[in-house]
Amino acid sequence: MTTEFDKKVAIVTGASKGIGRSISIELARKGCYIVINYMGDKKGAEETLAQVQKAGGSGEIYQFDVRDGKVCEKVVNDIAERHEAIDILINNAGIIADGLFMMMSPEKWQSVIDTSLNGFFNMTRPVIEKMVRKRKGAIVSISSASSLMANRGQANYSAAKAGMNAASRSVAAEVARLGIRMNVVAPGLIETDMIEDAPKEYIKDMIPMARIGKANEVAKVVGFLCSEDAS
């Protein structure tokens, strides 16, 4: 049975684990060809590809650093040339480097901004250039509830994700009439390696549903936003 996703090419950054892996699997189930980006965790990326194939999909692994704009442009050009289109981009790559603002080093601040916010620019700009030529495409960026509410110790992360939110709104206004849909998903706490050291029992008391979210739940939302049902 064919679907609207069949043969669509989707790039998922930071896809070696967590939310990125779940999104890759969800889009593969729908019929997408998945380009799995990772920076350092090759074994994790290989596991994601195995899960993509287990879900009935196909894809490839691509190692590159989203902080490097020239490399990102080269990768996007290569993928677009080999596959003739990039239909979906998921900006998921991100890191945390928490600490109180008054004690935060410039390196901690910059590393988070470079990955989440500059990484968003480095991937989105060249991908949009390809999508505009086809007059279609979907871009979904993974933000965080930290971009919308105060969260002690995460000034760098909050700034990066809030910047992603604002930039996405502006870019969406520029490209919507060209057939390109741009959305942001801002999850709360999700059960991934990123929160393994968090005080989960304490945190659950602050969540109305009294549980931490699951990566596959985020993936379902992303899958919807990439579909024509979200047109």
Side-chain angles (χ1 to χ4, degrees), residues 3-231:
T3 74
E4 62 170 282
F5 286 91
D6 282 352
K7 297 183 181 178
K8 283 190 174 181
V9 176
I11 301 175
V12 185
T13 67
S16 62
K17 58 188 173 184
I19 292 173
R21 176 179 289 175
S22 289
I23 291 171
S24 298
I25 295 167
E26 177 67 18
L27 293 178
R29 280 200 193 103
K30 292 178 178 293
C32 288
Y33 180 88
I34 311 298
V35 179
I36 299 162
N37 157 256
Y38 76 99
M39 188 172 79
D41 187 3
K42 183 178 181 181
K43 185 176 180 181
E46 289 171 345
E47 177 58 28
T48 299
L49 180 58
Q51 293 290 328
V52 161
Q53 292 168 341
K54 187 177 179 181
S58 59
E60 63 185 293
I61 296 171
Y62 231 117
Q63 193 275 334
F64 63 92
D65 187 347
V66 298
R67 296 174 299 182
D68 190 324
K70 289 183 179 178
V71 168
C72 289
E73 186 157 17
K74 182 176 182 299
V75 166
V76 167
N77 287 338
D78 179 58
I79 294 168
E81 184 176 336
R82 287 191 296 111
H83 296 284
E84 299 184 351
I86 296 171
D87 303 286
I88 295 169
L89 169 64
I90 310 298
N91 288 306
N92 172 70
I95 61 170
I96 57 172
D98 294 354
L100 293 177
F101 185 73
M102 64 181 176
M103 300 172 66
M104 185 173 288
S105 68
E107 291 76 21
K108 273 193 172 184
W109 175 271
Q110 198 64 49
S111 65
V112 173
I113 298 294
D114 281 346
T115 304
S116 289
L117 186 54
N118 293 343
F120 161 87
F121 172 82
N122 292 337
M123 288 301 298
T124 303
R125 192 204 57 76
V127 166
I128 279 182
E129 184 183 308
K130 308 299 180 188
M131 289 180 172
V132 163
R133 293 174 186 172
K134 302 279 186 178
R135 298 190 74 84
K136 63 179 180 179
I139 299 171
V140 179
S141 299
I142 306 302
S143 182
S144 168
S146 294
S147 68
L148 305 168
M149 56 188 286
N151 206 2
R152 287 183 54 178
Q154 288 199 319
N156 49 1
Y157 188 68
S158 298
K161 295 301 189 180
M164 177 190 285
N165 296 354
S168 296
R169 289 190 189 99
S170 293
V171 178
E174 294 174 6
V175 300
R177 292 186 181 183
L178 300 174
I180 301 163
R181 289 176 289 112
M182 192 154 191
N183 286 283
V184 174
V185 176
L189 279 174
I190 303 298
E191 192 68 63
T192 66
D193 292 348
M194 192 176 279
I195 68 158
E196 62 183 351
D197 296 324
K200 297 175 188 175
E201 291 306 313
Y202 168 75
I203 291 168
K204 282 198 292 188
D205 290 338
M206 302 165 62
I207 301 172
M209 292 191 74
R211 72 171 178 86
I212 293 171
K214 294 177 171 46
N216 68 310
E217 294 171 328
V218 179
K220 294 286 186 185
V221 176
V222 173
F224 166 73
L225 290 173
C226 292
S227 74
E228 290 303 314
D229 287 336
S231 64

